[in-house]
Amino acid sequence: MSPLVDHLRSHGDRPAVLTADQPLNYRELAEMVESFAHTLGRRRRLVLLETRNDVATVVRHLGALAGRHVVLPVPAGRDHTNLITTYRPDVVIDAAGVHVRSEAAHELHDDLALLMSTSGSTGSPKLVRLSRTNLTANAGSIAEYLQIRETDRAATTLPMSYCYGLSVVHSHLLVGAALIMTEQSVADDDFWELFTRHRGTTFAGVPYTFELLDRIGFASMRLPHLRYVTQAGGRMPPERVREYAALADRWGWQLFVMYGATEATARMAYLPPDLALTRSNAIGRPVPGGSFSLEPLDEWPEVGTGELVYRGANVMMGYADEPADLARGATLDALRTGDIARRDEHGLYEIIGRRSRFVKMYGLRIDLQQLENTLSEAGVRALCTDNGDRLAVVAGAGHDPDDVRRTAAGAAGVPAGAVDVACVHELPTLPSGKPDYPTARVLAAGAPRRTQHDGDLRRMFADVLHLNPAEITEDASFVDLGGNSLTYVTLSVRLERALGRLPADWPRLPLRELQNLPAPSRRWWQFWGSTLETSVALRAVAIVLIVGSHAELFELWGGAHILLGVAGYNFGRFCLTPLPRPVRIRHLRTTIAWIAIPSALWVAFALVVTDDYHASNLLLANKFLGPHDSMTAGRLWFVEVLVWTLIALAVLFCIPAVDRLERRHPFALAIGFLAFGMALRYGVVGVDEGRDAWFSMLAFWFFAAGWAASKASTVWQRAAVTAVLVVGLHGYFDDTLRQLLVLTGLALLIWLPAVRCPAGIAVVAGVVAEASLYIYLTHYQVYPLFGSHELVGVVAAVVVGITVSAAVTLARQWWGDRSSAGRMRRGLPLGDEPLLDQGGGEDAVGPDQARGHDAAAPRRGR
C-alpha cells in the first residue's frame, strides 16, 4: 500500500474535499486515489495531466503520485502540442479521459515525482524536475510558517498547473485540512457563497487577485471564519500590501506576503504578518528549512547587495529540456534566483533589481527570450522586456501593433491590454551591438495604449451611460459604472454588433477584458444571427402585448406580471452586485429615480391635458390614497408596485446585517423573500385583500420570483423557483391562458438566459425594450387618438414611446456634457463627479390590465 494513501486514510472521516455538491472525507479520498493508482499500473510512467480545480483532478494527481509515477500538470483548454511532441508522455489525461500507451517509453529517476513548466504559456519545453523530497519539504515548511491546522479549509483560487496553486493543495492535505474545490473567480458571487457555506478559512492570490478584490468590495465583506490570506506570484505594490495588512488587522485575519519560484517547489521566503504594515517592500525571511546568501555582482557594486541565492531541501533536482533529462539525478543544491537583493539589520530581505530574462506577471513566470523566439517564428523580429506589471514589445517597422500585441499576449498568456507595443524602423541596440532593453522599455511605454476595440468601446460606454470618456478607466465594468437594466439593453445590443457573441458575465468584466475579446469572425451566419437576452426579449414582447391588449387589437393579458418578474431578475443582477454597500444603495436609489421621476413628470403633463389621472398619481400612491373608484387612476399600478417594492428593499439593505446576509447567502435570502411573498399571496399573514393599499404586497411574489431566479446557480435551485411559480400561479387568475402565458415567460427567464435570432429582430427588440418605460407611460394617451384603427394606434404608441425615450437620452447626454464642461471651467477633475442617475436596477414598463381598475387585480384560488 502507498505511503500517500496511508497518510490520507489516517485522517479518517475528516473532510478532505468540499465542492458545491460533492463533499469527500479523507477515507473516501484515499479509496479513490488508491483505485486510480491501480488504473495506471505498476510500471512507472510519465503522466501529462490537464488540470481543473475539481475532485477528478485531485484524485488523478494524487493517484499518480501514490503509484510513484511522474506527473506533468498542464492547464486545461490550452495547446500542449509542444510538450507532448517533446516528451511523448506515456499517459495523457484530458477532458476526453485517460489515454495510456501500450508500453512505458521513459527511463525515470527514482526520486523524480513532478515536472512543472517554468515559463507561463510561452510554449517552452523547459521543465523543472521536482523530487518527492522537494514536495514533502516544501509542503511541511509552508504548513509550519502558516500554522495550518486540521480545521482549516482552503479555497482553490489558483490553478493546479501553477506551482503556487499546487502548493496550497499539498500543504493542506499534509496536515489533514480541507480543500474547497472551485473554478469560480473571486469576482463571482458563487465563489463567496461556497466559501462562506463551507466556512472557508483561507485563500491564495496573485497581485491581480487583489485587484479583483478591490472591485467587488472585499473590504466590506464579513467572513467570520477567515484566518489568513496569502499572496505570491509576483511583486504586489507596497501600498496595496499596506492596505490589505490594515484590512486584515481590522477584521482579525492575517496577510502573508510570500516569495518563491517553481524551482524552489513554490516558496522561499515569507513576510510575517506583523511586519506587513511597516516593511511592505520586503520579501521577509527564509521559510523554515531554507537559507539565503548574497553573492556580489560586478554590475551591482553597492555594498550589501548581491544576487539572492537560496538553499534548502525544496530546491529542484534541475531542469529538463528533453526526455533523457528525466533519468538524471539532482544537479544542484542551491538556487540562483536572478534577483538582486539586500538584507537589513533585522534579517529581512528586499528585492531591488533583476538580472535575468524572466518576469512574473499575472502569476505567470514569463521567459522573455522564449517570447522573442515565438514572435520571430511568427515573422516578427522584436525586443521584449517588462515595464512594471506590463510587457513591453518593440517590433520592426511594417507590422500592425494590434497584431503584434495579440500574438505576444497569446504567447505569454496575459491580457492584450497588458502589452505595450511600439513599431520602429530600427530596433535599439547598445554600442556593443547588444539589444538595448532600457530604450525598448521607454519606446513601448510611449506608444499608444489601445487595442482593437479600445476607443470604440470607451465611447460606446460613455454614450450609453451618459459619462465623459475621461471618467471611464480600463478597470471599470458596466456594473462598476452604475449600469442598470435600461442601459444594459442598449449597450448589450451595441456591444454584440461590435464584438460578436458576448460572454454571459460581460456586465462584470472590466473594459480591459472586453477590449481584448477577439474580433468577430464574419462567417455567413453572423450576418443574420444574433444573441438576444431572454429578459430583453420578454420586455419587448410584453410591452407590445400590453399596448395591444389595451387598444383592443387582441386580448393577451399577463405581460405586466412577467415584467414584474423581469424587474426582480434585474434587481438581483444589477442592484445586488459585489460592490460595497454604499454603492449598492446609491445604485438602488438612483434606479428608483429613473422610474419615479419620468412617471411623475408624465402624470403632471397628463393632468394638464386630460382627465385621466388624479393628484395621488403624482406620488405614485393611488393604491394608498385613492380614489379607488376611478377607471383610469389605477393604470399606474405596475409602477406603484415596483417603486414601493424598491423603496422598501432600499431601506432594508441600508441595514448592514441584511447586506452581509445577502452576500453570504444570496439565493437563500431571495427564496426567503419569495416565501414571504407567497405568504402574502395566500393570506397567511392576515393581510386584508379587500384593501387596495395591499395590492402591491399581493403582487410582490412575482418580483421575488425573478429575484430568486437571478440568484439560482444550480439545476435544483432553478427547479425550486419553477415549482413555486407553478404552485403560486394555480388559481391566481381566472383566465387559464393568462396563467400559462405568465408561467411560460418566467420559466424562459429561469431556464433560457438567451436566444439566437435574426440580427434585425434583435435590434428592434432592443430598441423596444429600451423604450418600454416611455411606451407604457405614453400609450394610454396615444392609442385612443386613432379610434377604431387599433393596429395604427398600437404602432403609433410604440413609435411615440421610442421617440420620447430617444429625446430623454439626448437630454441626459446634453446635461452630462454641460455638467462636465462646467466642472472643467471651474478646474475640477471629471473623476470627482458622482455617478448620479446611473443606478443599477430595473426600469419600469407598463402593466397590462383590462378596461378599468378591477380587471388588473389578481384572483385568489378558491
Side-chain angles (χ1 to χ4, degrees):
M1 189 177 295
S2 163
L4 175 55
V5 173
D6 288 342
H7 169 77
L8 296 174
R9 193 167 279 134
S10 70
H11 291 290
D13 293 329
R14 293 198 58 78
V17 180
L18 304 168
T19 68
D21 52 12
Q22 187 185 3
L24 289 176
N25 62 38
Y26 270 90
R27 183 174 288 106
E28 293 168 332
L29 178 61
E31 291 172 358
M32 295 172 70
V33 168
E34 186 174 32
S35 175
F36 187 76
H38 289 315
T39 300
L40 297 179
R42 300 178 65 86
R43 183 171 178 179
R44 295 183 72 211
R45 300 175 184 270
L46 174 60
V47 180
L48 185 141
L49 171 62
E50 283 199 352
T51 65
R52 293 175 175 82
N53 286 344
D54 58 16
V55 173
T57 298
V58 171
V59 169
R60 290 164 171 175
H61 171 71
L62 296 177
L65 291 180
R68 294 187 57 79
H69 303 287
V70 177
V71 185
L72 170 52
V74 294
R78 299 278 183 86
D79 182 3
H80 309 300
T81 303
N82 197 8
L83 284 174
I84 292 174
T85 301
T86 302
Y87 288 98
R88 303 187 308 280
D90 306 306
V91 182
V92 174
I93 304 176
D94 56 20
V98 180
H99 314 280
V100 183
R101 288 190 180 192
S102 57
E103 74 285 341
H106 293 87
E107 183 181 350
L108 305 171
H109 191 277
D110 287 344
D111 292 336
L112 185 62
L114 190 67
L115 298 169
M116 299 291 289
S117 174
T118 64
S119 56
S121 60
T122 54
S124 171
K126 188 174 186 177
L127 301 175
V128 169
R129 297 183 292 122
L130 299 173
S131 68
R132 284 171 180 76
T133 300
N134 294 154
L135 299 182
T136 304
N138 191 68
S141 174
I142 293 172
E144 179 180 342
Y145 73 75
L146 292 181
Q147 299 180 33
I148 301 176
R149 308 167 183 167
E150 282 189 338
T151 53
D152 277 320
R153 297 182 173 192
T156 54
T157 49
L158 302 168
M160 287 179 60
S161 58
Y162 173 32
C163 66
Y164 186 11
L166 198 56
S167 74
V168 173
V169 174
H170 289 165
S171 59
H172 284 79
L173 293 180
L174 179 69
V175 300
L179 299 170
I180 302 174
M181 300 298 301
T182 176
E183 291 210 291
Q184 298 283 346
S185 163
V186 296
D188 296 329
D189 289 346
D190 290 344
F191 173 89
W192 296 108
E193 189 278 328
L194 187 68
F195 190 82
T196 53
R197 171 152 56 95
H198 288 310
R199 293 174 295 168
T201 63
T202 180
F203 63 89
V206 296
Y208 183 61
T209 306
F210 291 82
E211 293 182 26
L212 294 177
L213 294 177
D214 285 345
R215 289 211 293 266
I216 66 170
F218 177 76
S220 64
M221 286 188 185
R222 283 286 293 165
L223 301 169
H225 302 286
L226 183 62
R227 272 208 323 120
Y228 64 93
V229 175
T230 63
Q231 183 271 316
R235 182 178 183 270
M236 192 156 77
E239 59 272 17
R240 180 159 284 162
V241 173
R242 291 192 293 270
E243 173 191 344
Y244 275 86
L247 184 64
D249 187 61
R250 184 162 74 247
W251 288 108
W253 46 270
Q254 293 181 310
L255 174 68
F256 285 86
V257 177
M258 307 183 301
Y259 167 82
T262 308
E263 289 86 345
T265 328
R267 300 279 74 81
M268 289 184 282
Y270 73 100
L271 184 64
D274 58 331
L275 299 176
L277 274 172
T278 57
R279 293 303 313 275
S280 56
N281 57 339
I283 63 169
R285 57 179 62 127
V287 300
S291 64
F292 283 130
S293 61
L294 297 176
E295 295 195 3
L297 295 170
D298 292 339
E299 59 266 38
W300 288 85
E302 181 183 346
V303 176
T305 67
E307 182 178 7
L308 191 64
V309 178
Y310 176 79
R311 290 175 173 82
N314 53 320
V315 172
M316 66 175 178
M317 299 173 69
Y319 291 112
D321 294 295
E322 58 182 356
D325 293 330
L326 306 185
R328 300 170 61 200
T331 58
L332 72 167
D333 59 2
L335 178 64
R336 300 180 68 90
T337 66
D339 287 324
I340 311 304
R342 61 184 168 218
R343 181 178 183 271
D344 69 11
E345 65 275 15
H346 302 294
L348 298 180
Y349 288 84
E350 178 186 351
I351 304 298
I352 59 174
R354 182 80 185 156
R355 68 173 300 187
S356 75
R357 295 278 289 138
F358 288 88
V359 296
K360 266 198 173 180
M361 293 176 58
Y362 293 88
L364 300 173
R365 188 180 183 196
I366 298 169
D367 183 339
L368 295 174
Q369 186 58 55
Q370 178 65 28
L371 185 58
E372 288 182 5
N373 295 342
T374 301
L375 289 172
S376 178
E377 290 170 3
V380 180
R381 186 164 163 267
L383 301 183
C384 300
T385 183
D386 69 308
N387 188 10
D389 60 349
R390 305 180 67 80
L391 279 179
V393 179
V394 175
H399 296 292
D400 182 279
D402 286 335
D403 289 341
V404 175
R405 180 180 289 108
R406 282 192 295 271
T407 302
V414 301
V419 182
D420 296 330
V421 175
C423 293
V424 297
H425 289 290
E426 187 174 345
L427 298 182
T429 59
L430 297 169
S432 63
K434 294 182 179 180
D436 185 352
Y437 288 107
T439 299
R441 183 179 291 114
V442 172
L443 289 171
R449 287 185 179 177
R450 59 167 295 154
T451 57
Q452 181 175 355
H453 309 296
D454 185 13
D456 291 342
L457 294 197
R458 194 184 297 272
R459 285 191 296 274
M460 196 180 295
F461 269 66
D463 289 344
V464 174
L465 297 175
H466 315 302
L467 298 172
N468 189 295
E471 300 174 16
I472 301 176
T473 69
E474 287 190 333
D475 292 325
S477 69
F478 174 79
V479 169
D480 295 335
L481 295 170
N484 61 21
S485 60
L486 185 86
T487 50
Y488 173 86
V489 174
T490 308
L491 194 54
S492 63
V493 172
R494 292 178 64 177
L495 282 175
E496 175 150 333
R497 288 203 296 267
L499 302 177
R501 191 165 187 172
L502 289 171
D505 61 344
W506 75 262
R508 294 187 184 178
L509 294 180
L511 184 61
R512 177 192 293 114
E513 293 187 28
L514 289 176
Q515 291 166 357
N516 295 334
L517 291 175
S521 55
R522 294 296 180 182
R523 296 187 173 96
W524 63 269
W525 63 80
Q526 289 179 309
F527 286 101
W528 69 267
S530 184
T531 301
L532 180 65
E533 186 168 332
T534 301
S535 65
V536 176
L538 288 175
R539 285 170 57 177
V541 171
I543 191 63
V544 172
L545 292 180
I546 290 167
V547 177
S549 296
H550 288 169
E552 300 185 349
L553 179 63
F554 46 72
E555 276 199 31
L556 287 172
W557 304 107
H561 294 85
I562 293 175
L563 289 172
L564 202 53
V566 173
Y569 183 78
N570 285 328
F571 167 77
R573 289 199 306 166
F574 298 119
C575 285
L576 301 184
T577 65
L579 295 172
R581 181 170 57 87
V583 180
R584 276 184 168 188
I585 298 304
R586 188 181 72 221
H587 285 184
L588 188 49
R589 185 178 65 242
T590 52
T591 294
I592 296 168
W594 273 62
I595 304 167
I597 292 175
S599 300
L601 289 174
W602 183 258
V603 169
F605 171 76
L607 281 172
V608 174
V609 299
T610 72
D611 296 326
D612 287 346
Y613 298 121
H614 294 268
S616 61
N617 291 115
L618 282 171
L619 302 176
L620 302 179
N622 172 257
K623 293 293 182 183
F624 297 94
L625 304 178
H628 305 301
D629 58 351
S630 168
M631 293 294 291
T632 58
R635 289 176 172 179
L636 298 179
W637 74 266
F638 177 84
V639 174
E640 293 187 16
V641 170
L642 188 54
V643 168
W644 289 106
T645 294
L646 292 176
I647 288 174
L649 290 172
V651 172
L652 274 176
F653 279 95
C654 282
I655 303 171
V658 176
D659 182 83
R660 289 195 298 269
L661 182 63
E662 195 283 329
R663 293 179 191 273
R664 294 178 195 165
H665 308 289
F667 180 73
L669 185 67
I671 280 290
F673 274 94
L674 179 54
F676 173 70
M678 292 295 286
L680 293 173
R681 181 252 187 273
Y682 285 105
V684 174
V685 296
V687 173
D688 181 4
E689 62 182 286
R691 293 170 57 192
D692 277 351
W694 293 109
F695 179 84
S696 299
M697 304 295 287
L698 297 176
F700 167 74
W701 75 275
F702 289 97
F703 180 94
W707 175 5
S710 74
K711 298 301 181 181
S713 58
T714 64
V715 171
W716 77 263
Q717 289 175 344
R718 289 191 286 271
V721 179
T722 306
V724 173
L725 278 172
V726 172
V727 172
L729 280 169
H730 180 69
Y732 192 82
F733 305 110
D734 286 340
D735 184 352
T736 302
L737 178 61
R738 188 176 188 180
Q739 291 178 171
L740 288 175
L741 181 66
V742 175
L743 177 61
T744 301
L746 295 183
L748 287 173
L749 190 68
I750 295 169
W751 294 99
L752 187 66
V755 295
R756 201 75 178 161
C757 64
I761 291 178
V763 171
V764 172
V767 171
V768 173
E770 178 187 358
S772 54
L773 170 62
Y774 301 97
I775 295 172
Y776 161 60
L777 289 176
T778 60
H779 84 282
Y780 288 111
Q781 285 73 46
V782 175
Y783 73 79
L785 300 176
F786 296 88
S788 61
H789 301 287
E790 292 90 353
L791 179 59
V792 178
V794 170
V795 173
V798 172
V799 171
V800 168
I802 292 172
T803 303
V804 173
S805 175
V808 171
T809 298
L810 288 174
R812 282 190 177 127
Q813 191 170 12
W814 172 82
W815 178 257
D817 292 344
R818 185 170 178 270
S819 298
S820 296
R823 293 183 66 82
M824 291 176 69
R825 283 196 299 270
R826 296 194 302 272
L828 297 175
L830 291 173
D832 288 347
E833 182 78 2
L835 296 177
L836 297 177
D837 295 329
Q838 299 297 326
E842 173 57 32
D843 48 278
V845 287
D848 59 351
Q849 60 190 61
R851 313 305 167 275
H853 168 70
D854 292 337
R859 304 286 182 178
R860 291 291 184 92
R862 297 294 188 264

